[in-house]
Amino acid sequence: MRRAYFKNNWIAALVVAPQLIIIFVFFYWPASQAIYWSLTLEQPWGGGNTWVGLENFRTVLSDPVYWSSIRVSIIFALASTALAMGMAMILALFADRQLTGYRLYRVGMIWPYAIAAPAVGLAFRFVFNPNAGLFSFINTIAPETWNPTLNGTQALIMVIIAGAWKLVSYNFIFFLAALQSIPRSLTEAAAMDGAGVLRRMRDVQLPLLAPTFFFILVINITDSFTDSFGIVDTLTGGGPARATDLMVYKIYSDGFRGFDYSGAATQSVILMGLVIALTFIQFRYVERRVHYT
Amino acid sequence: MADISIRSVRKAYGKDEVVHGVDLDIYDGEFIVILGPSGCGKSTLLRMIAGLEEITAGEVAIAGQVVNQMEPRERGCAMVFQNYALYPHMTVAENIGYALKVAGMAKAERIARVTQVATSVGLDGMLDRKPGQLSGGQRQRVAMARAIIREPRVFLFDEPLSNLDAKLRVQMRHEIRRIHNRIAATSVFVTHDQHEGMTLADRMVIMNKGTIEQVGTPEEVYDHPATTYVAGFIGSPAMNFLPGRISTAGRAVVLEGGARLDISAAAALGHDGLLVQVGLRPEQIAIAAPGQSGLPVRFDFAEELGSGRLYHFLHEDLPVTVHSDEKRRFAPGEPATLTVPPVAVHLFDAQTTQSLTAAAALAEARARVNA
């Protein structure tokens, strides 16, 4: 393939400048600021800072509260990703069967992706409300069973379900597109070979979804680590007793409620490193297994 | 054993009917080719036999059993698809053995069968490759092996050779015929390529716009086409058509412009004054000196074929092509006369497009064969 080169370098620079400026202003500059802050002790009310080296990291990483936040975040990421991908896959397999009314259904499935995270959180607050929500029927059968404002495990389950729900529609779009790009003749050939509907899904459709599956996995894991703030804030506020205090939420509450800018910056850097490491691992060890040609 | 009977089968997508009531009997062990242009409903018909397409109306029976409501796997058919439809994530061995795996055959037995079938189609040493690493011809063989291994009662082929280059196509055509002879299953082969149809078929079915135009052996279809459509579709170069009128008294057909061609068929002579299309095969026309009785023409241009030559003439501004082994030289516009034996003059009713001569000639030919 021939590539077009710009003879004039400063025109090339001008063309890419807007993109570079945006990335710089919204990523590199704040990221480098966070790294700088994580190495200093910042005064809460302004007025200078002191260089402390890696002291902040030592403090954060020796704090058992922070380790419990990491644990909760990992549980949340794995569970909501698994739930979101599983649900989306099942729904997409059904939509791909093109049963009556699947067009309407497809559009309806995509809508939730347009809803902002805080709105999702608010909606689920009603759903999970122990007194009036859908889940209150549990309390009707067995009183005092469902109460996420007191029970940490229940609160985490609630946040996982809400987080997964938000991702389902996004995943669904990709899974459906991938399913529909599988040639019809392949499933027909499998039908001629004697495989029923479920067998065809297992032996032909799912293996061919592997590249999409991997892409969605990376996106979902990253998303559940970094983009779950709105749900936690509206649903639980990190509680009860820090049971849903995800890393990204803890950054916010330590930084803007506790005015511990340096601690929050340190946590941001750790979170960034964690996400980069996870993505690297996925590309290194998972991606090579998903190509079939 | 595995004869297929198709009774007034129709297929409609919504209000749009694409197959308009097809009746066809396919005998056990026969190689049937369904031939027609794209969009004539031939693939749809095949897919209805396979069970991949619902039958809107009518009945398909395999070995005496109506299969309309049966799943594809219950019908005992194997199919070779146009684009091979190999499973890209499975090796060649897994592709070929998939049907056996689904059927629950033990692994050791399965591997033995796969190896045996793969050898029979010339795929030794490729069993561990993925379809993406194979050439077009090899993929075709895998598709064939995948069909063979099931020992089907019926083989269905949906234009399986159209993705191959010309040389490979001929080679695979021969192999398909050999496999058919060896396995003795009933084969139904869909194609738009008349050479494939003529060379492979025991009997061919010519389809056009969702209906059957003619069913017969390749020889019958070529010698006695039942309609102008079949006459124009079968044969290369295509048959020449000239408008004319039957004259019973003169035992001839009079063309526009007054030229006369003698005809012998009694069936046609009953229709005095009928407007007809006169069909002349390029290879049955002889070139004679000008002034003799026959079709007066002027030379237009010639095409060299190596083994022969195509001469293009004009009769009253209508093109007439002649295929001849003789190498002759004509100047542009040079007059000549074309002669045709009376038995080689095909006559079609100009209105209905039905042949006036085919039915009687066919009956006579079959009687001769049986006698």
Side-chain angles (χ1 to χ4, degrees), chain A residues 37-38 40-41 56 60 251 254-255 260-268:
Chain A
W37 284 353
S38 71
T40 64
L41 209 52
N56 287 325
V60 167
I251 292 171
D254 284 5
D260 178 9
Y261 293 132
S262 301
T266 310
Q267 292 176 32
S268 299

Side-chain angles (χ1 to χ4, degrees), chain B residues 44-187:
Chain B
T44 310
L45 186 61
L46 189 80
R47 292 164 58 83
M48 285 194 282
I49 299 173
L52 297 174
E53 209 78 64
E54 219 172 296
I55 298 163
T56 309
E59 211 174 79
V60 173
I62 299 175
Q65 190 181 14
V66 177
V67 296
N68 283 35
Q69 300 304 324
M70 280 187 183
E71 288 285 316
R73 57 181 153 169
E74 298 161 338
R75 300 189 183 193
C77 304
M79 184 150 163
V80 179
F81 291 81
Q82 177 171 7
N83 50 13
Y84 320 127
L86 302 180
Y87 312 122
H89 57 295
M90 298 186 195
T91 63
V92 168
E94 286 166 341
N95 263 286
I96 298 175
Y98 183 63
L100 304 182
K101 188 177 171 189
V102 171
M105 185 184 278
K107 196 169 179 194
E109 198 184 346
R110 207 164 70 216
I111 291 170
R113 290 271 293 125
V114 167
T115 316
Q116 180 204 337
V117 170
T119 309
S120 78
V121 296
L123 280 171
D124 324 66
M126 313 226 172
L127 288 176
D128 294 328
R129 296 202 197 166
K130 297 273 177 76
Q133 300 164 297
L134 300 180
S135 69
Q138 291 165 337
R139 286 181 207 184
Q140 182 67 62
R141 285 165 209 271
V142 178
M144 297 285 302
R146 189 170 66 176
I148 295 169
I149 202 164
R150 298 183 45 213
E151 298 175 337
R153 298 185 295 176
V154 176
F155 257 119
L156 304 172
F157 298 88
D158 189 4
E159 308 214 20
L161 305 181
S162 54
N163 287 354
L164 301 177
D165 62 54
K167 201 171 167 190
L168 208 52
R169 198 179 301 173
V170 173
Q171 199 184 330
M172 289 308 298
R173 197 167 80 196
H174 297 164
E175 287 191 28
I176 286 177
R177 186 67 220 201
R178 273 192 211 109
I179 288 167
H180 170 82
N181 291 350
R182 193 175 75 220
I183 294 182
T186 311
S187 297

Side-chain angles (χ1 to χ4, degrees), chain A residues 172-188:
Chain A
F172 170 81
I173 297 168
F174 277 89
F175 282 140
L176 186 61
L179 279 171
Q180 297 197 327
S181 72
I182 297 175
R184 262 188 85 74
S185 60
L186 279 185
T187 36
E188 287 175 352

Side-chain angles (χ1 to χ4, degrees), chain A residues 241-272:
Chain A
R242 297 187 178 277
T244 57
D245 199 12
L246 303 183
M247 289 165 79
V248 69
Y249 191 76
K250 190 167 157 54
I251 292 171
Y252 159 80
S253 56
D254 284 5
F256 298 103
R257 295 254 172 84
F259 297 107
D260 178 9
Y261 293 132
S262 301
T266 310
Q267 292 176 32
S268 299
V269 172
I270 294 173
L271 179 57
M272 194 163 68

